[in-house]
Amino acid sequence: MNKPAVAVVMGSDSDLPVVKDATDILDQFRVSYELLVLSAHRSPRETHAFAITAVARGIKVIIAAAGGAAHLAGVIASEFPLPVVGIPIQTAALGGMDSLYSTVQMPPGVPVATVGINGAKNAGLLALQILAVGDPSLQKKLVVFKKQQAKAVVEKSKRLEKRRQ
Amino acid sequence: MNKPAVAVVMGSDSDLPVVKDATDILDQFRVSYELLVLSAHRSPRETHAFAITAVARGIKVIIAAAGGAAHLAGVIASEFPLPVVGIPIQTAALGGMDSLYSTVQMPPGVPVATVGINGAKNAGLLALQILAVGDPSLQKKLVVFKKQQAKAVVEKSKRLEKRRQ
Amino acid sequence: MNKPAVAVVMGSDSDLPVVKDATDILDQFRVSYELLVLSAHRSPRETHAFAITAVARGIKVIIAAAGGAAHLAGVIASEFPLPVVGIPIQTAALGGMDSLYSTVQMPPGVPVATVGINGAKNAGLLALQILAVGDPSLQKKLVVFKKQQAKAVVEKSKRLEKRRQ
Amino acid sequence: MNKPAVAVVMGSDSDLPVVKDATDILDQFRVSYELLVLSAHRSPRETHAFAITAVARGIKVIIAAAGGAAHLAGVIASEFPLPVVGIPIQTAALGGMDSLYSTVQMPPGVPVATVGINGAKNAGLLALQILAVGDPSLQKKLVVFKKQQAKAVVEKSKRLEKRRQ
Amino acid sequence: MNKPAVAVVMGSDSDLPVVKDATDILDQFRVSYELLVLSAHRSPRETHAFAITAVARGIKVIIAAAGGAAHLAGVIASEFPLPVVGIPIQTAALGGMDSLYSTVQMPPGVPVATVGINGAKNAGLLALQILAVGDPSLQKKLVVFKKQQAKAVVEKSKRLEKRRQ
Amino acid sequence: MNKPAVAVVMGSDSDLPVVKDATDILDQFRVSYELLVLSAHRSPRETHAFAITAVARGIKVIIAAAGGAAHLAGVIASEFPLPVVGIPIQTAALGGMDSLYSTVQMPPGVPVATVGINGAKNAGLLALQILAVGDPSLQKKLVVFKKQQAKAVVEKSKRLEKRRQ
Amino acid sequence: MNKPAVAVVMGSDSDLPVVKDATDILDQFRVSYELLVLSAHRSPRETHAFAITAVARGIKVIIAAAGGAAHLAGVIASEFPLPVVGIPIQTAALGGMDSLYSTVQMPPGVPVATVGINGAKNAGLLALQILAVGDPSLQKKLVVFKKQQAKAVVEKSKRLEKRRQ
Amino acid sequence: MNKPAVAVVMGSDSDLPVVKDATDILDQFRVSYELLVLSAHRSPRETHAFAITAVARGIKVIIAAAGGAAHLAGVIASEFPLPVVGIPIQTAALGGMDSLYSTVQMPPGVPVATVGINGAKNAGLLALQILAVGDPSLQKKLVVFKKQQAKAVVEKSKRLEKRRQ
């Protein structure tokens, strides 16, 4: 397996069932990735060390998932100079509105590319799209993916029509 | 000037004062871009034509700004296979909460890389970070940018300290 | 069966249990309709084709149901010159507040007639009311419907009173 | 002038500056309308009388604008069997979120076709679209309107491009 | 049983399990009441008739429970000149935020005495407090109720303490 | 002047411009009232003393206005056995949503009759309605008030109609 | 056992399962505490007595948990001159947004140190941190706690890595 | 001047007008403090260095103010083992709801003592209360402060009463 260009990190291992949608799509496109539990608040030094060494390890995009006062993506983006994709995790009390605001409302100068609440599949796809900017073969695969996706919708529509007859 | 790799589009020319923060940072990094007014709702065919021809024109990243039921970024992302960065524009009634939800809460399969409400500077920076994945010289400039940004904060802090003495 | 004047479309076949309330009321009034799965984001070309050919097929009203960054009704309304009724689908994270804002907060020039979250029965009724503007017999049926509805409430009230005695 | 098919009502004369966007578009399409101040709460009997006599007066669509606990559209819809379009008025404290919820979250059986907060222009257009279902000449005018609208966006885009050169 | 001074009405018989907290407390204080299902939207004429005849029937306070675009309390308050207590019913999509805003945000001139979401017990107590203004014996009972309530809390605290030993 | 049956209290003298709408309507109906600044948080002992002595002073209804974590109405209601009307004051940051929730979401056993954000006129009217339960002459005045209010709306509607001709 | 320096109070014994996270962490650090049920609204005199006698009993920090119109922490803070930590309890209707605003939005002059919704463990830790300001041995234990916490995250990350191999 | 026990930091010097309420109250109590601009996102290394050296410098409490995706307090709390007080700064788009959630919704294990939006005065007071736990003379001053605060409210009430006579 080649050196991974993507890192997927999450604030708690309880986020894994959501984050799996991101790693599944990366697996499907055969793009390798690092996978870590890192907490901006509980393991700040490991998070810091991870962020400042990522470029040297060949990481091109980091996907970070966290809930509540979700600082993980922002803290990594404070050091990592390439794209950070943030996944706001759904929360029991506020539905993930807290996670979303904490991830997306970054100050000017430090962007986090935020996807929807629990939008891990889209985070994976966004990472693939970012890599595809410099990788024509990956870009082609994404075009095919779009076509298959449209086809799947069309087929569902046809099945619905059949059931009515 | 070389062929632009970035396109910046907005739903209404009234969004221009906000969007300028995105084009300013692109100008600062000497990255050229297309600049258009396109409405997902009022000029749907032009928007569609723009999205399906963008790859052929050499566009690598599209920044789309819209407010309210902000569909522009999503509609472009439905066709464009590379990263779309969405800027939710602040609104009079709901402060931009409507624009944010309409931009970020995309269905699985079609991501929009969303920045904060009116976060146009970060949208420009995110586009630069995406291009930098395949452009080491741009990556270096972004590292320098981060350092200068930190320095500016340190200087503000020193000035504050001086005023107290 | 005569050529349908109503089309009912949904962003995902998982919306069908909600959308059924709309088709049930259309069935009850013996108004025929097209029924399709169409995604503004995953099958944009089919959606576009559907919207621009609807008038020619004799469609007078389109009901569109979608959740999250719900662009389906708006995208159809960008092309279809007659009424589009939008049903915001309830969502796990934000309860459908995202769907509602994405459906109702349309820019000036392109209305979507929005009903409540999961308000599919009302969407069907609104389509019937729209058709009734030019159809006196349908209008009469709607007046009868209103009376039966009132009667049903009165009967529930009486049953409640009886239980107390 | 012929007998009006549209009625435009508002909860308070302070809503007039917003409601004017609805009457302007009706004027532009030369569709005549009744215009009244009616309060579901302060003049309930007049509101009730208005709603039950509207069909007999030839009214086909009613546009109702109100803010806060905005009951006007719903109260009219409880009696009027044809489409009621609701405009939630922006409010000082809650931005119109209260008006929106009070207008759109109707119980099954009594729809209100809700437009965005202060979306009076769209309310007017929706009324026109509803009338156009049975009026081919009005439908043609709406198609032209859509084209001009698209053209206006294209022209704004060109002007923006020129300014950059 | 004497003629009831309180009426308890609800928009749907599905609200009964919540509303029972109001009737239970009225039962506990041996205050009789009318109990009806009335819908501002589905049975508007019955609602109107109820509101304008209530004073003549001896009703002094009306408790009205409704959810969503909850207009019931407001519609009754538009006619009834004595206190109307509104109970916003919890809703699936928005948790009752819609019911609360629709009940409490009344325009100047027509108050609704609103209690918390699903706060039926408090609605009953508020009705009792209102009657107690002119009924010293009821006032005394309410003072006793307050004392017992405090005592119950103290006892729970003591039980908790015991468990710790 | 006779002994006041109403007390109007506010958390801060900066609330006076809002609270004036309550005292104005009481003045208009010639109902006398106590007027105090009392803070649940900054002057808790005075607030407590006020609440436990109010019945003895002849107070029948207390109107309490406060903003933010608005505890004033609730704290008074914890001691006062007759109706407490709460006015949530609009706030700079959250528009009064904080004041509203803090006032209305009372636990079972201790109601606060809450009016809309800044709804001081309705608070005054609600106090009058409460007193009118045992005061037929006041009740008559409230019926007249309702009629004049309706008349004022009708006149505004006529003036609007005239302007159009 | 030595005289407790911490008091943990809750508005209802139904809050105990949440509050347990606070007492567990205090137990873990062997810091003793009072534990009471106190209601700002249902047992106001006991609450008041508790607050004004707490300093004399040697209490240094009070943790107060309440939901809805959560006044408990604020009412205690109105009398107690040392830190009050507020835990907003999650609620069925509004998720705890009501509890949070009622606890945190205190007027200038009377702070409540608010933790997240249901954040009882953090409330306990905050109390420990406050005591640690004057207690070097407790401070050391908190430093050790931080290290163990980081270690636990690192271990979870390693376990995740192993599972992938 | 003695070595400061309090540090006051803010994410941007534009927060200074709000933060001044915190330093004013510290000045009033003659408690010295460090004052810095530190950005969790733009100057992460300086922020990190500040947090890990604070204990050694004698800092006992840190007050941190930030807006939007407000990570400053949380990032400092990840390293600093003593109390961190967070001030959520009001924001243009979301009123500070974003800042509040980002500050208060911390994961179990790392508390931030959050005050209200722009609640800088209360942040200063909370820092004083924390220091007072181990400083009886400061505690006495806080008791006096509470009394004066109550007195000021009473005087405002008297002035209001006089104006009425």
Side-chain angles (χ1 to χ4, degrees):
Chain A
M1 212 176 201
N2 53 345
K3 224 168 111 185
V6 178
V8 181
V9 300
M10 68 205 85
S12 159
D13 59 351
S14 66
D15 301 334
L16 195 58
V18 171
V19 170
K20 210 183 160 291
D21 289 344
T23 56
D24 280 356
I25 196 84
L26 293 172
D27 287 340
Q28 187 183 325
F29 279 80
R30 294 174 187 276
V31 166
S32 66
Y33 50 88
E34 297 179 357
L35 186 63
L36 291 98
V37 182
L38 278 178
S39 166
H41 300 120
R42 282 172 298 190
S43 62
R45 292 185 190 191
E46 288 72 17
T47 303
H48 192 242
F50 165 83
I52 64 175
T53 60
V55 166
R57 278 200 318 282
I59 299 297
K60 303 293 188 206
V61 194
I62 298 172
I63 296 172
H71 299 186
L72 186 58
V75 159
I76 291 171
S78 75
E79 287 289 354
F80 187 63
L82 294 172
V84 176
V85 177
I87 307 171
I89 296 290
Q90 191 173 331
T91 52
L94 298 174
M97 207 160 49
D98 43 356
S99 322
L100 174 57
Y101 293 163
S102 301
T103 303
V104 80
Q105 288 291 80
M106 293 290 290
V110 187
V112 165
T114 305
V115 295
I117 297 171
N118 276 2
K121 186 180 178 181
N122 277 352
L125 278 166
L126 187 53
L128 292 168
Q129 291 179 333
I130 289 167
L131 295 178
V133 164
D135 179 342
S137 106
L138 184 52
Q139 187 174 328
K140 263 179 219 160
K141 284 184 200 162
L142 284 166
V143 171
V144 171
F145 175 84
K146 266 193 175 313
K147 278 183 193 155
Q148 288 170 335
Q149 201 166 236
K151 220 170 138 184
V153 175
V154 171
E155 269 155 30
K156 279 179 182 173
S157 196
K158 281 185 186 157
R159 242 171 298 155
L160 181 64
E161 213 175 339
K162 268 187 196 157
R163 251 185 295 163
R164 291 185 68 198
Q165 289 163 350
Chain B
M1 214 177 198
N2 52 346
K3 221 168 112 184
V6 178
V8 181
V9 301
M10 68 205 87
S12 158
D13 58 350
S14 66
D15 300 333
L16 195 57
V18 171
V19 170
K20 210 182 161 291
D21 289 345
T23 55
D24 280 357
I25 196 85
L26 292 172
D27 288 339
Q28 186 183 326
F29 278 81
R30 295 176 185 275
V31 166
S32 66
Y33 50 88
E34 297 180 356
L35 185 64
L36 290 98
V37 182
L38 279 177
S39 167
H41 299 121
R42 282 172 298 190
S43 61
R45 293 184 188 191
E46 287 73 16
T47 303
H48 192 243
F50 165 83
I52 63 174
T53 60
V55 165
R57 277 199 320 282
I59 298 297
K60 303 291 187 206
V61 195
I62 298 173
I63 296 171
H71 299 186
L72 186 57
V75 160
I76 291 171
S78 75
E79 287 288 354
F80 187 63
L82 295 172
V84 176
V85 177
I87 308 171
I89 296 290
Q90 191 174 331
T91 52
L94 297 174
M97 207 159 50
D98 43 357
S99 322
L100 174 57
Y101 292 164
S102 302
T103 303
V104 80
Q105 287 291 82
M106 292 291 289
V110 188
V112 165
T114 306
V115 295
I117 298 171
N118 277 3
K121 187 181 178 179
N122 277 352
L125 278 166
L126 187 53
L128 292 169
Q129 290 178 335
I130 289 167
L131 296 178
V133 164
D135 179 343
S137 106
L138 184 52
Q139 186 174 329
K140 263 180 219 158
K141 282 184 202 163
L142 283 166
V143 172
V144 171
F145 175 83
K146 265 193 176 313
K147 278 184 193 153
Q148 286 170 335
Q149 202 165 235
K151 219 170 139 184
V153 175
V154 172
E155 268 157 29
K156 277 179 183 172
S157 196
K158 280 185 186 157
R159 243 171 297 156
L160 181 64
E161 211 176 339
K162 267 189 196 154
R163 251 187 293 165
R164 290 185 70 199
Q165 288 164 349
Chain C
M1 212 175 200
N2 54 344
K3 221 167 110 185
V6 178
V8 181
V9 301
M10 69 205 86
S12 159
D13 58 351
S14 66
D15 300 334
L16 195 58
V18 171
V19 170
K20 211 184 159 291
D21 290 344
T23 56
D24 279 356
I25 196 86
L26 293 172
D27 287 339
Q28 186 183 326
F29 279 81
R30 295 175 188 275
V31 167
S32 66
Y33 50 90
E34 297 179 356
L35 185 65
L36 290 98
V37 182
L38 278 177
S39 167
H41 299 120
R42 283 174 297 190
S43 62
R45 294 186 189 190
E46 288 73 16
T47 304
H48 191 242
F50 165 82
I52 63 175
T53 60
V55 165
R57 276 198 321 281
I59 300 298
K60 304 291 187 208
V61 195
I62 298 173
I63 295 173
H71 299 186
L72 185 58
V75 159
I76 291 171
S78 75
E79 288 288 354
F80 187 63
L82 295 172
V84 176
V85 177
I87 308 172
I89 296 289
Q90 190 173 331
T91 52
L94 298 174
M97 207 160 50
D98 43 356
S99 322
L100 174 57
Y101 293 164
S102 301
T103 303
V104 80
Q105 288 291 81
M106 293 290 291
V110 187
V112 166
T114 306
V115 295
I117 297 170
N118 276 3
K121 186 180 178 181
N122 277 352
L125 278 166
L126 187 53
L128 293 169
Q129 290 178 334
I130 289 167
L131 295 178
V133 164
D135 179 342
S137 105
L138 184 53
Q139 187 174 329
K140 263 180 218 159
K141 284 184 201 163
L142 284 166
V143 171
V144 171
F145 175 83
K146 265 193 175 314
K147 278 184 193 153
Q148 287 169 335
Q149 202 166 234
K151 220 170 139 185
V153 175
V154 171
E155 269 156 30
K156 278 180 184 173
S157 196
K158 281 184 186 157
R159 242 171 298 155
L160 181 64
E161 212 175 340
K162 268 186 196 156
R163 251 185 295 165
R164 291 186 68 198
Q165 288 163 352
Chain D
M1 213 175 199
N2 53 345
K3 220 168 113 184
V6 178
V8 181
V9 301
M10 68 205 86
S12 158
D13 58 351
S14 66
D15 300 333
L16 195 57
V18 171
V19 170
K20 210 182 160 293
D21 290 344
T23 55
D24 280 356
I25 196 85
L26 293 172
D27 288 339
Q28 187 183 324
F29 279 81
R30 295 176 186 275
V31 167
S32 66
Y33 51 88
E34 297 179 358
L35 185 64
L36 290 98
V37 182
L38 279 177
S39 167
H41 299 120
R42 283 172 298 189
S43 62
R45 295 186 186 189
E46 287 73 16
T47 303
H48 192 243
F50 165 83
I52 63 174
T53 60
V55 165
R57 278 200 318 282
I59 298 296
K60 304 290 186 206
V61 195
I62 298 173
I63 296 172
H71 299 186
L72 186 57
V75 160
I76 291 171
S78 75
E79 289 287 354
F80 186 64
L82 295 171
V84 176
V85 177
I87 308 171
I89 296 290
Q90 192 173 331
T91 52
L94 297 175
M97 207 160 50
D98 43 356
S99 321
L100 174 57
Y101 293 163
S102 302
T103 303
V104 80
Q105 288 291 80
M106 293 291 290
V110 187
V112 166
T114 306
V115 295
I117 298 171
N118 277 3
K121 186 180 178 180
N122 277 352
L125 278 166
L126 187 52
L128 292 168
Q129 291 178 334
I130 290 167
L131 296 178
V133 164
D135 178 343
S137 106
L138 184 53
Q139 186 174 330
K140 264 181 217 158
K141 283 185 201 163
L142 283 166
V143 172
V144 172
F145 175 83
K146 265 193 177 313
K147 279 185 192 153
Q148 286 170 335
Q149 202 166 233
K151 219 169 139 185
V153 175
V154 172
E155 269 156 30
K156 278 179 183 175
S157 196
K158 280 184 186 159
R159 241 171 298 155
L160 182 64
E161 211 176 340
K162 267 188 196 155
R163 250 185 295 164
R164 289 186 70 199
Q165 289 163 349
Chain E
M1 212 176 199
N2 53 344
K3 221 168 112 185
V6 178
V8 181
V9 301
M10 67 205 86
S12 159
D13 59 350
S14 67
D15 301 333
L16 195 59
V18 171
V19 170
K20 210 183 160 291
D21 289 344
T23 56
D24 279 356
I25 196 85
L26 293 172
D27 287 340
Q28 186 183 325
F29 278 82
R30 295 175 186 276
V31 166
S32 65
Y33 50 89
E34 296 179 357
L35 186 64
L36 290 98
V37 182
L38 278 177
S39 167
H41 299 121
R42 283 172 297 189
S43 62
R45 293 185 189 191
E46 288 73 16
T47 303
H48 191 243
F50 165 82
I52 64 175
T53 60
V55 165
R57 278 198 320 282
I59 298 297
K60 304 290 187 208
V61 195
I62 298 172
I63 295 173
H71 299 186
L72 186 57
V75 159
I76 291 171
S78 75
E79 288 289 354
F80 186 63
L82 295 172
V84 176
V85 177
I87 307 172
I89 296 290
Q90 191 173 330
T91 53
L94 297 175
M97 208 160 49
D98 43 356
S99 321
L100 174 57
Y101 292 164
S102 301
T103 304
V104 80
Q105 287 291 80
M106 294 290 290
V110 187
V112 166
T114 306
V115 296
I117 297 170
N118 277 3
K121 186 180 178 179
N122 277 352
L125 278 167
L126 188 53
L128 293 168
Q129 290 178 335
I130 289 167
L131 296 178
V133 164
D135 178 342
S137 107
L138 184 53
Q139 187 175 328
K140 263 181 218 157
K141 284 184 201 162
L142 284 166
V143 171
V144 171
F145 175 84
K146 266 192 176 314
K147 278 184 192 153
Q148 287 170 334
Q149 200 166 235
K151 220 169 139 184
V153 175
V154 171
E155 269 156 29
K156 278 180 183 173
S157 196
K158 280 185 186 158
R159 242 172 298 155
L160 180 65
E161 212 176 338
K162 268 188 197 155
R163 250 185 294 164
R164 290 186 68 200
Q165 288 164 351
Chain F
M1 211 175 199
N2 54 345
K3 222 168 111 184
V6 179
V8 181
V9 300
M10 68 204 87
S12 160
D13 58 351
S14 66
D15 300 333
L16 196 58
V18 171
V19 171
K20 211 184 159 292
D21 290 345
T23 55
D24 279 357
I25 196 86
L26 293 172
D27 287 340
Q28 187 184 326
F29 279 81
R30 295 175 186 276
V31 166
S32 66
Y33 51 89
E34 296 180 357
L35 184 65
L36 289 99
V37 183
L38 278 177
S39 166
H41 298 121
R42 282 173 298 191
S43 62
R45 294 185 188 191
E46 287 73 16
T47 303
H48 193 242
F50 165 83
I52 63 175
T53 59
V55 165
R57 278 199 318 281
I59 299 297
K60 304 291 187 208
V61 195
I62 297 174
I63 295 171
H71 299 186
L72 186 58
V75 160
I76 291 171
S78 74
E79 289 288 355
F80 187 65
L82 295 172
V84 175
V85 178
I87 308 171
I89 296 290
Q90 191 173 332
T91 52
L94 298 174
M97 207 159 49
D98 43 356
S99 321
L100 174 57
Y101 292 163
S102 302
T103 303
V104 80
Q105 288 290 81
M106 293 291 289
V110 187
V112 164
T114 306
V115 295
I117 298 171
N118 276 3
K121 186 180 178 180
N122 277 353
L125 278 166
L126 187 54
L128 292 168
Q129 290 178 334
I130 290 167
L131 296 177
V133 164
D135 178 343
S137 105
L138 184 53
Q139 187 175 327
K140 264 181 218 157
K141 283 184 201 164
L142 283 166
V143 171
V144 171
F145 175 83
K146 265 193 176 315
K147 278 184 194 155
Q148 286 169 336
Q149 203 166 233
K151 220 169 139 185
V153 175
V154 172
E155 269 157 30
K156 278 180 183 173
S157 195
K158 282 185 185 159
R159 242 171 298 156
L160 181 64
E161 211 177 339
K162 268 188 195 156
R163 250 186 295 164
R164 289 185 70 198
Q165 288 163 348
Chain G
M1 212 176 199
N2 53 345
K3 222 169 110 183
V6 178
V8 181
V9 300
M10 68 204 86
S12 159
D13 58 351
S14 65
D15 300 334
L16 196 58
V18 171
V19 170
K20 210 182 160 294
D21 290 344
T23 56
D24 279 355
I25 196 85
L26 293 172
D27 287 340
Q28 186 182 325
F29 278 81
R30 295 176 186 276
V31 166
S32 66
Y33 50 87
E34 297 179 355
L35 185 64
L36 290 98
V37 182
L38 278 178
S39 166
H41 299 120
R42 283 173 297 190
S43 63
R45 293 184 189 191
E46 288 73 16
T47 303
H48 191 243
F50 165 82
I52 64 175
T53 60
V55 165
R57 277 199 319 283
I59 299 298
K60 303 292 187 205
V61 194
I62 297 173
I63 295 172
H71 299 186
L72 185 58
V75 159
I76 291 171
S78 75
E79 288 288 353
F80 187 63
L82 295 172
V84 176
V85 177
I87 307 171
I89 296 290
Q90 191 173 331
T91 52
L94 297 174
M97 208 160 48
D98 43 356
S99 321
L100 174 57
Y101 293 164
S102 301
T103 303
V104 80
Q105 288 291 80
M106 293 290 291
V110 188
V112 166
T114 306
V115 296
I117 297 171
N118 276 4
K121 186 181 178 180
N122 277 352
L125 278 167
L126 187 53
L128 292 168
Q129 290 178 336
I130 289 166
L131 295 178
V133 164
D135 178 343
S137 106
L138 183 53
Q139 187 174 329
K140 264 180 218 158
K141 284 184 202 165
L142 284 166
V143 171
V144 171
F145 175 84
K146 267 192 175 314
K147 278 184 194 154
Q148 287 170 334
Q149 201 165 236
K151 220 169 138 184
V153 175
V154 172
E155 270 156 29
K156 279 180 182 172
S157 196
K158 281 185 186 157
R159 243 171 297 156
L160 181 65
E161 213 175 338
K162 269 188 196 154
R163 250 185 295 164
R164 291 186 67 200
Q165 289 164 352
Chain H
M1 212 177 199
N2 53 346
K3 224 168 110 184
V6 178
V8 181
V9 301
M10 68 204 87
S12 158
D13 58 350
S14 66
D15 300 334
L16 196 57
V18 170
V19 170
K20 211 184 159 291
D21 290 345
T23 55
D24 280 356
I25 196 87
L26 292 172
D27 288 340
Q28 186 183 324
F29 279 81
R30 295 176 186 275
V31 166
S32 66
Y33 51 88
E34 296 179 358
L35 186 64
L36 290 98
V37 183
L38 278 177
S39 167
H41 299 121
R42 282 173 297 189
S43 62
R45 293 184 189 191
E46 288 73 16
T47 304
H48 192 243
F50 164 83
I52 63 176
T53 60
V55 165
R57 278 199 318 281
I59 298 298
K60 304 291 187 206
V61 195
I62 297 173
I63 296 171
H71 299 187
L72 185 58
V75 160
I76 291 171
S78 75
E79 288 288 353
F80 186 64
L82 295 172
V84 176
V85 177
I87 308 171
I89 296 289
Q90 191 174 331
T91 51
L94 297 175
M97 207 159 50
D98 43 357
S99 322
L100 174 57
Y101 292 164
S102 302
T103 303
V104 80
Q105 288 291 79
M106 293 290 290
V110 188
V112 165
T114 306
V115 295
I117 297 171
N118 277 4
K121 186 181 179 180
N122 277 353
L125 278 166
L126 187 53
L128 293 168
Q129 290 178 334
I130 289 167
L131 296 178
V133 164
D135 178 343
S137 106
L138 184 53
Q139 187 175 328
K140 263 179 218 158
K141 283 184 201 162
L142 283 165
V143 172
V144 171
F145 175 83
K146 266 193 176 313
K147 278 184 192 153
Q148 286 169 336
Q149 202 166 232
K151 220 170 139 184
V153 174
V154 172
E155 268 156 31
K156 278 180 183 173
S157 196
K158 280 185 185 157
R159 242 172 298 154
L160 182 64
E161 211 176 339
K162 267 188 196 155
R163 251 187 292 165
R164 290 185 69 198
Q165 288 163 350

